[in-house]
């Protein structure tokens, strides 16, 4: 979303009389388009975002160390941002999307707040934490995909009731850079730390999670009424497909999560997917204009991104930039969660993809 420096500053190589002219018009806040046109309107995407992989085994100790430095309450959200190495300091993983790993320790609370930015959570490590959205609490299990809709109150916590409970880590995906681009961000803190739980756990899933909808329900929200999509159900679907049909040559068996009321993306700005690659899979190359963040749930393999090999294991996160060629390879059966800004690009009619 940030314009590149090359787009703004005319090159020093310009002819002296042109440079002198540029110098004279600058105080009037004018700039010559012809020096920047090629960068502003490129022949094809030229993203500053680069392919990158975060090895969970390598970064987990840093995440755990953060808990010795600050509590979840003081931090509000104790997260290590997965900053794209091509865009340091900008708190983004692709140009439009933010990803981070959030840590909750047993007994902690991340206080209730709300914001315009939509969030998704994908549980990476540990069990026993919960998130509360709109008065309904959901317990987190590894592989669950959970939504925080725009402007809904939400708090996270970990009651530490079980003797085996430990740290819980999840991947946060937010449309923070998109909202920042539009200068449309609002946020507020709740008056209470943890919102009052007013609904029994599982109510949303009972009402909307079984290809059925309460008979007099009319939907007004832009976001799915299911806010937790359990891994057990999604994984079961992939296992059944593996038994019943050949994998797609590019993406294996890949399903997108939907809003059951529309069939579209579960949230306006992000499309999450879950895919299974069979052992020995050597996928064909494909690319899309939606830069994508992947979280590895099961198995080992390699993402070949514009020729760069990113070897992955469970709990790793990697990012594939817009228009980079991706080939997926699996050494064992592998399950990948992913999300991109595709619904936004589709809404404005600019999404492109190609399958080689
Ligand atoms: O859990 O509400 O990673 O507000 C960044 C901003 C998580 C959250 C993030 C947030 C949250």
């Amino acid at each position: 979303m940030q314009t590149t420096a090359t787009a703004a500053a005319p090159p020093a190589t310009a002819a002296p009389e042109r440079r002198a002219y540029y110098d004279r018009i600058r105080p009037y806040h004018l700039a010559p388009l012809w020096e920047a046109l090629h960068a502003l309107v490129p022949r094809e995407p030229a993203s500053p975002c680069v392919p990158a992989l975060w090895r969970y085994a390598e970064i987990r100790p840093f995440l755990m160390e953060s808990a010795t430095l600050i509590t979840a309450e003081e931090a509000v959200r104790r997260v290590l941002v997965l900053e794209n190495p091509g865009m340091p300091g900008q708190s983004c993983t692709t140009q439009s999307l933010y990803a981070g790993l959030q840590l909750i320790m047993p007994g902690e609370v991340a206080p209730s707040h709300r914001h315009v930015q939509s969030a998704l959570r994908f549980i990476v490590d540990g069990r026993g934490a919960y998130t509360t959205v709109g008065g309904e609490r959901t317990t987190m299990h590894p592989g669950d995909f959970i939504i925080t809709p725009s402007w809904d109150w939400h708090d996270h916590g970990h009651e530490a009731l079980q003797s085996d409970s430990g740290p819980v880590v999840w991947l946060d995906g937010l449309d923070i850079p998109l909202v920042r681009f539009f200068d449309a961000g609002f946020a507020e803190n709740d008056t209470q730390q943890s919102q009052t739980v007013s609904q029994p756990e599982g109510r949303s899933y009972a009402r909307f999670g079984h290809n059925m909808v309460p008979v007099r329900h009319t939907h007004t929200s832009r976001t799915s009424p299911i806010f937790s999509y359990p891994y057990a159900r999604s994984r079961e679907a992939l296992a059944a497909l593996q038994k019943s049909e050949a994998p797609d040559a590019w993406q294996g068996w890949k399903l997108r999560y939907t809003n059951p009321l529309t069939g579209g993306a579960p949230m306006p700005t992000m499309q999450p997917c879950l895919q299974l690659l069979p052992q020995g899979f050597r996928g064909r190359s494909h690319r899309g204009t939606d830069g994508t963040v992947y979280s590895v749930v099961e198995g080992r393999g390699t993402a070949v991104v514009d020729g760069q090999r990113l070897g992955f294991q469970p709990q790793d996160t990697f990012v594939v930039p817009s228009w980079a060629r991706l080939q997926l390879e699996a050494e064992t059966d592998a399950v990948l969660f992913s999300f991109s800004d595709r619904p936004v690009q589709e809404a404005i009619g600019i999404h492109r993809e190609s399958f080689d």
Side-chain angles (χ1 to χ4, degrees):
M1 290 291 162
Q2 285 73 22
T3 46
T4 56
T6 49
T13 52
E17 60 275 26
R18 289 186 187 169
R19 274 218 314 273
Y21 167 76
Y22 302 157
D23 290 344
R24 281 189 289 114
I25 64 175
R26 192 174 306 117
Y28 297 88
H29 312 294
L30 298 169
L33 171 65
W34 56 88
E35 294 288 2
L37 187 59
H38 56 288
L40 291 174
V41 187
R43 278 178 51 83
E44 57 175 44
S47 181
C49 173
V50 298
L53 177 130
W54 291 265
R55 271 187 199 84
Y56 191 65
E58 219 167 74
I59 60 178
R60 189 180 191 276
F62 293 124
L63 206 48
M64 296 307 140
E65 190 182 344
S66 72
T68 68
L69 299 171
I70 193 164
T71 63
E73 188 184 339
E74 192 194 344
V76 182
R77 297 296 182 261
R78 189 175 48 217
V79 178
L80 293 182
V81 181
L82 305 179
E83 281 204 335
N84 192 283
M87 297 173 279
Q90 295 179 29
S91 302
C92 58
T93 314
T94 71
Q95 287 273 59
S96 59
L97 298 175
Y98 155 109
L101 290 171
Q102 181 159 174
L103 170 67
I104 284 268
M105 300 299 281
E108 286 191 321
V109 169
S112 180
H113 71 181
R114 64 178 179 175
H115 39 70
V116 157
Q117 292 83 356
S118 295
L120 64 80
R121 330 278 173 192
F122 188 72
I123 318 311
V124 168
D125 193 9
R127 50 191 73 240
Y130 64 82
T131 188
T132 309
V133 175
E136 185 178 331
R137 188 169 273 194
T138 192
T139 306
M140 298 173 164
H141 313 91
D144 291 353
F145 153 58
I146 294 172
I147 297 173
T148 310
S150 174
W151 209 241
D152 273 5
W153 294 111
H154 54 285
D155 54 271
H156 319 300
H158 192 338
E159 279 182 340
L161 295 175
Q162 310 96 314
S163 55
D164 65 341
S165 69
V168 174
V169 176
W170 63 84
L171 177 70
D172 277 326
L174 286 92
D175 52 14
I176 286 174
L178 263 176
V179 174
R180 178 170 61 192
F181 172 73
F182 289 119
D183 284 336
F186 294 87
E188 57 188 45
N189 293 323
D190 208 344
T191 49
Q192 42 185 2
Q193 282 269 87
S194 304
Q195 57 185 296
T196 310
V197 176
S198 57
Q199 307 292 342
E201 180 157 0
R203 178 163 187 259
S204 300
Y205 202 75
R207 299 176 85 213
F208 301 100
H210 299 85
N211 304 314
M212 301 165 101
V213 173
V215 68
R216 283 195 296 284
H217 177 77
T218 47
H219 72 279
T220 47
S221 169
R222 297 286 304 272
T223 304
S224 170
I226 303 176
F227 76 105
S228 176
Y229 294 70
Y231 187 63
R233 295 281 79 78
S234 318
R235 184 65 181 87
E236 195 177 25
L238 292 175
L241 290 179
Q242 186 172 26
K243 291 205 191 94
S244 62
E245 63 183 52
D248 173 80
W250 291 268
Q251 292 165 312
W253 296 279
K254 184 167 184 176
L255 296 174
R256 56 184 181 85
Y257 295 88
T258 63
N259 175 340
L261 300 176
T262 64
M267 52 220 304
T269 49
M270 294 184 279
Q271 174 65 67
C273 292
L274 194 71
Q275 76 197 100
L276 169 62
L277 310 173
Q279 178 171 15
F281 185 73
R282 292 284 175 276
R284 294 177 62 178
S285 145
H286 59 287
R287 55 182 175 168
T289 50
D290 50 328
T292 305
V293 179
Y294 287 81
S295 178
V296 183
V297 197
E298 298 177 31
R300 284 191 320 276
T302 304
V304 187
V305 187
D306 276 344
Q308 189 176 331
R309 298 183 66 81
L310 306 175
F312 61 75
Q313 294 194 44
Q315 302 173 307
D316 291 351
T317 313
F318 62 91
V319 56
V320 178
S322 163
W323 214 234
R325 283 205 167 78
L326 170 65
Q327 268 173 283
L328 292 167
E329 303 176 357
E331 282 167 49
T332 64
D333 278 9
V335 178
L336 305 177
F337 171 84
S338 60
F339 66 95
S340 80
D341 65 4
R342 184 171 177 151
V344 182
Q345 295 197 29
E346 286 181 340
I348 59 177
I350 64 167
H351 183 260
R352 285 200 199 190
E353 61 187 335
S354 101
F355 294 86
D356 299 335

